[in-house]
Amino acid sequence: MSTYYVDKFLYTIDRDPKWVQRYKDDPAGTIEAWEQEVGRWLNDAEETTVLSFTDAERAALAAHDYVWLFEHGAHFFLNLTLFIALYDEEYTREQGPLSFQREFGRKLSHWLGKEYPSVGL
């Protein structure tokens, strides 16, 4: 997995409520737009050499598959905070406070007692 690129996506989407809403409403379209508008740039003048996600990364991001992302090295905190931004409000409304976080933990419970996947670049 291109850990840097996936983590950059998680981080930059989560920092902007407009991107969060776009990603919630149209994951695949948001991924494509982000790659063109944000992902390819290191700064205002320089492009990165990583210009796209792998097919597996794209599929996981489009499906909001935070378990796959974690298992393949996405930074735990970046992964968690973006998906809280996407789902916390509706989960809280339907199931009470911290219900999404509890689900996130349940879905990753098979990692209990194991070392976390590497988040190294």
Side-chain angles (χ1 to χ4, degrees):
M1 181 167 94
S2 50
T3 307
Y4 168 79
Y5 203 61
V6 170
D7 286 347
K8 181 178 177 178
F9 177 85
L10 298 172
Y11 176 76
T12 57
I13 294 291
D14 191 35
R15 289 183 63 207
D16 185 334
K18 291 178 186 171
W19 276 108
V20 170
Q21 191 60 54
R22 283 175 73 178
Y23 184 47
K24 186 172 185 175
D25 295 341
D26 179 16
T30 302
I31 294 163
E32 187 176 322
W34 181 88
E35 284 181 297
Q36 293 302 312
E37 297 173 31
V38 179
R40 64 186 307 147
W41 299 102
L42 292 172
N43 55 46
D44 291 340
E46 296 176 289
E47 287 186 86
T48 182
T49 57
V50 181
L51 296 176
S52 65
F53 294 107
T54 66
D55 291 342
E57 292 163 352
R58 184 180 307 283
L61 288 167
H64 293 175
D65 189 349
Y66 50 85
V67 174
W68 188 95
L69 293 168
F70 172 80
E71 291 174 338
H72 289 84
H75 193 280
F76 178 79
F77 182 76
L78 299 175
N79 198 11
L80 174 63
T81 57
L82 174 56
F83 288 99
I84 286 172
L86 292 172
Y87 293 116
D88 188 55
E89 189 175 313
E90 67 188 62
Y91 273 68
T92 298
R93 186 173 48 253
E94 295 170 9
Q95 300 171 37
L98 300 175
S99 54
F100 176 75
Q101 291 87 329
R102 287 192 299 271
E103 179 179 298
F104 190 98
R106 274 192 304 275
K107 287 187 174 183
L108 292 174
S109 65
H110 61 283
W111 280 94
L112 289 173
K114 298 179 186 178
E115 288 191 35
Y116 277 14
S118 173
V119 294
L121 298 175

